[in-house]
Amino acid sequence: MTQTSQRPLRVLAAMSGGVDSAVAAARAAEAGHDVTGVHLALSANPQSFRTGARGCCTIEDSRDARRAADVIGIPFYVWDLAERFREDVVDDFVAEYEAGRTPNPCLRCNEKIKFAALLDKALALGFDAVCTGHYATVVLNDDGTREMHRASDMAKDQSYVLGVLDEKQLAHAMFPLGDTLTTKDEIRAEAERRGLAVAKKPDSHDICFIADGDTQGFLAGRLGGPAEGDILDEDGAKVGTHEGAFGFTIGQRKGLRIGHPAPDGKPRYVLDISPVNNTVTVGPVEALDVTALTAIKPRWCGTPPSGPGTYTAQLRAHGGETEVTAELVDATLSVTFTEPVRGVAPGQAVVLYDGTRVVGSATIATTVRKERATAGG
């Protein structure tokens, strides 16, 4: 098993205007590839400037990407994918929340934009690969198949949000940062040595199309504003009100604004969200324990698994791994946890791993909660 072939390729480097994508493009060019930089304009009305580490895709980001391309010495273009991004990522995000699910827009962007719309256009123009600043590794097997593995540095690994890529997409993916044990400070130092002005630019956090970080306000603006509903306890008793069920996620503790404490004095967490009757159910943390789930729309980074298997699973972009058994039955993935896990919500992605290898990703549809002992039971 070897790293992806390093023969010279025509490479389209997706440059966000940040330090990671700039260094990735520079490394690809230094390796002898014929690199062209491209910045994706994903907003129909981009802001002029970023606000600290919030958001991205501003006019400032586009200019930063262009300056980095000039320093590297590669051609640079801006491609307008705003309409496609709105349809495939933003509208999907809003629809998922409206249905009471918790989506991850970064996975959808990688699947639908960077490695679908962008890759399709790149291949049509004669490019061999798309290069990004993600931290993951593509490995070429002796039989010509490809696998995606975690980055060498687990602290920076981003394979979770790339788990939606299939083998065909992996064949045209390049991640120059994934197989080096360099810290983020070292990446910034490398950018500075290369003369890239983005060396000290803050990383982008939060959801890129919600620059102010106010997800609830963003959703309210698109789903018709406040829609008051009830907050219920596990017995169905009203314990508070809210201004829209779409503003909550499973496992949420803060911002519930419940007027009186639980009988046992312990914090309460969001257990369920019902968009049909606009109610939110809250309860104790142990009620969040999940023992199994089903997931739909599986995407495999190679050959789909056959029969039940033992894997590790990751449920959040910055979460840890947990041991599971999983089986694909009629396009539905059934996953059982060795030990209960908490905070699992429909709409999230479950990504399966075999060691460091990414097996695939699927969207959580249902969960099975651990049975709890009843009073006197």
Side-chain angles (χ1 to χ4, degrees):
M1 194 162 61
T2 60
Q3 297 298 318
T4 302
S5 171
Q6 290 301 302
R7 67 175 178 83
L9 304 173
R10 286 197 68 204
V11 175
L12 188 68
M15 302 181 69
S16 66
V19 63
D20 289 330
S21 60
V23 171
R27 287 187 178 185
E30 190 174 63
H33 300 300
D34 179 8
V35 180
T36 297
V38 62
H39 178 79
L40 304 183
L42 302 179
S43 173
N45 297 291
Q47 297 184 38
S48 295
F49 301 101
R50 299 171 84 222
T51 304
R54 293 195 180 278
C56 67
C57 313
T58 64
I59 294 173
E60 176 192 8
D61 292 311
S62 175
R63 290 170 178 165
D64 287 343
R66 182 180 296 278
R67 283 191 286 266
D70 288 343
V71 170
I72 298 168
I74 59 175
F76 177 83
Y77 300 91
V78 175
W79 287 359
D80 183 358
L81 292 180
E83 184 174 353
R84 180 74 180 266
F85 183 77
R86 177 185 59 77
E87 293 174 354
D88 288 344
V89 180
V90 180
D91 289 352
D92 174 80
F93 177 85
V94 173
E96 287 292 283
Y97 264 101
E98 186 177 22
R101 296 185 288 266
T102 305
N104 185 316
C106 295
L107 275 83
R108 197 65 62 237
C109 182
N110 286 329
E111 176 189 354
K112 299 290 188 179
I113 304 299
K114 292 176 183 173
F115 293 95
L118 176 61
L119 179 57
D120 288 347
K121 189 170 182 178
L123 295 177
L125 292 172
F127 288 93
D128 300 303
V130 166
C131 162
T132 73
H134 287 102
Y135 290 86
T137 305
V138 178
V139 170
L140 177 65
N141 294 321
D142 295 336
D143 62 1
T145 59
R146 284 172 170 79
E147 298 174 353
M148 181 162 61
H149 287 250
R150 289 191 181 277
S152 298
D153 184 353
M154 279 290 293
K156 298 196 299 294
D157 175 65
Q158 292 176 302
S159 60
Y160 175 83
V161 295
L162 296 168
V164 290
L165 305 187
D166 59 28
E167 189 175 357
K168 181 180 177 182
Q169 291 170 322
L170 289 180
H172 301 285
M174 181 181 291
F175 307 120
L177 306 187
D179 59 356
T180 53
L181 285 169
T182 50
T183 67
K184 191 56 180 275
D185 286 343
E186 289 170 331
I187 290 292
R188 293 189 180 281
E190 179 179 338
E192 195 158 13
R193 288 195 305 272
R194 293 180 181 276
L196 300 171
V198 292
K200 292 183 172 62
K201 186 174 181 178
D203 290 335
S204 178
H205 299 295
D206 301 310
I207 298 168
C208 71
F209 52 86
I210 307 179
D212 60 4
D214 182 10
T215 301
Q216 186 166 2
F218 173 86
L219 291 168
R222 283 155 178 77
L223 295 175
E228 186 172 297
D230 293 337
I231 299 177
L232 310 175
D233 65 16
E234 291 181 282
D235 296 323
K238 181 177 176 179
V239 295
T241 60
H242 62 77
E243 296 182 347
F246 54 78
F248 296 84
T249 59
I250 301 294
Q252 178 178 334
R253 175 185 172 184
K254 295 181 179 180
L256 300 184
R257 294 184 297 176
I258 297 173
H260 52 86
D264 60 6
K266 294 181 179 179
R268 284 177 283 200
Y269 298 76
V270 174
L271 304 181
D272 288 296
I273 302 163
S274 176
V276 175
N277 55 16
N278 197 29
T279 60
V280 174
T281 301
V282 298
V285 67
E286 57 267 22
L288 290 169
D289 286 346
V290 168
T291 58
L293 61 82
T294 63
I296 57 175
K297 301 177 183 177
R299 291 178 63 85
W300 306 109
C301 299
T303 305
S306 59
T310 302
Y311 307 94
T312 57
Q314 187 171 331
L315 299 164
R316 286 174 288 278
H318 304 292
E321 292 179 272
T322 183
E323 291 186 0
V324 301
T325 57
E327 183 176 11
L328 184 65
V329 180
D330 297 330
T332 297
L333 186 67
S334 296
V335 177
T336 302
F337 298 97
T338 302
E339 297 289 339
V341 296
R342 289 176 177 169
V344 184
Q348 292 176 331
V350 53
V351 178
L352 298 182
Y353 292 84
D354 181 6
T356 62
R357 179 176 70 88
V358 183
V359 177
S361 173
T363 302
I364 298 171
T366 63
T367 61
V368 178
R369 297 266 173 85
K370 178 182 177 182
E371 291 187 11
R372 292 155 56 204
T374 57

